[in-house]
Amino acid sequence: MVLFRRMLGEVLRGARVEREMTLRQVSAEARVSLGYISEIERGQKEASSELLASLCAALDLPLSQVLREVSDAVAVEEGVAAPVLTGAPTPIKVGRPSGDVVASAA
Amino acid sequence: MVLFRRMLGEVLRGARVEREMTLRQVSAEARVSLGYISEIERGQKEASSELLASLCAALDLPLSQVLREVSDAVAVEEGVAAPVLTGAPTPIKVGRPSGDVVASAA
């Protein structure tokens, strides 16, 4: 079973780390206890809607974007391909053929 | 402040109505009390992640899709344009040049 709070926690933690913010900073900004935020990030506690709004504000991140990222992460776990948002094709990764090692001129 | 539970409730109610299911049917399917589901639909109660998963299963709706719809609804309330999902360009409206009236052959 894909749990919303677990995916939400991962997205919130990712956003915080991306912003190079500490738990302490988010805690002070959102006026939420550090321990509580930590539990939410680890998917151990449900965040109330008001708390979620405060965390989004502290991270300067729209709630809609958080939910979209959670939706995408959940879709991956559900095994459903997330809808492609851009018209750009996925670049084809051109790999070095295996075994193609340049011999050293010994 | 845009509250997650209010938008979630609207999306869940919309999905249920679309499926022509009654609260009683969803309640029996999800094994959640009818009153509780009603409160969630009205945005008055937070749904736990487990309950949300049960409701999604009862509605035969992936959690990712619910969250995407909530994200889109929240984006509208935030005043942020939801990302365009298709690559189709906005059609250019070709207007009749002003004053360009074909003279009638009198």
Side-chain angles (χ1 to χ4, degrees):
Chain A
M1 188 195 284
V2 185
L3 290 181
F4 173 65
R5 65 171 173 274
R6 189 165 61 76
M7 311 309 285
L8 176 67
E10 286 181 12
V11 168
L12 290 174
R13 182 186 288 269
R16 177 175 64 76
V17 170
E18 200 175 87
R19 283 157 180 71
E20 297 183 352
M21 286 178 83
T22 62
L23 276 173
R24 193 171 300 278
Q25 286 172 310
V26 176
S27 168
E29 191 78 35
R31 294 164 178 266
V32 178
S33 84
L34 192 151
Y36 197 13
I37 296 176
S38 174
E39 284 186 300
I40 287 170
E41 283 192 355
R42 282 178 284 134
Q44 292 173 350
K45 277 262 165 65
E46 304 277 354
S48 73
S49 296
E50 285 80 0
L51 184 59
L52 182 54
S54 293
L55 287 176
C56 287
L59 292 165
D60 195 21
L61 186 65
L63 174 61
S64 60
Q65 193 179 324
V66 170
L67 294 174
R68 178 165 290 271
E69 287 183 29
V70 175
S71 167
D72 289 346
V74 169
V76 170
E77 293 235 346
E78 284 169 349
V80 177
V84 176
L85 292 177
T86 69
T90 308
I92 297 162
K93 195 176 173 184
V94 180
R96 199 180 57 181
S98 67
D100 184 10
V101 178
V102 177
S104 61
Chain B
M1 186 194 283
V2 186
L3 290 181
F4 174 65
R5 66 171 172 273
R6 189 165 60 76
M7 311 310 284
L8 176 67
E10 285 181 13
V11 168
L12 290 174
R13 181 186 289 270
R16 177 175 62 77
V17 170
E18 200 174 86
R19 283 156 180 72
E20 299 184 350
M21 286 178 82
T22 62
L23 277 172
R24 193 171 300 278
Q25 285 172 312
V26 176
S27 168
E29 191 78 35
R31 294 166 181 264
V32 178
S33 85
L34 191 151
Y36 196 14
I37 297 176
S38 174
E39 285 188 299
I40 287 169
E41 284 192 355
R42 283 177 283 134
Q44 292 174 350
K45 277 262 165 65
E46 304 276 354
S48 73
S49 296
E50 285 80 2
L51 183 59
L52 182 54
S54 294
L55 288 176
C56 287
L59 293 165
D60 196 22
L61 186 66
L63 174 61
S64 60
Q65 192 181 325
V66 170
L67 294 174
R68 177 163 292 269
E69 287 183 28
V70 176
S71 168
D72 290 346
V74 169
V76 170
E77 293 235 344
E78 285 169 349
V80 176
V84 176
L85 291 178
T86 69
T90 308
I92 297 163
K93 197 177 174 183
V94 179
R96 199 178 58 181
S98 67
D100 186 11
V101 179
V102 177
S104 61

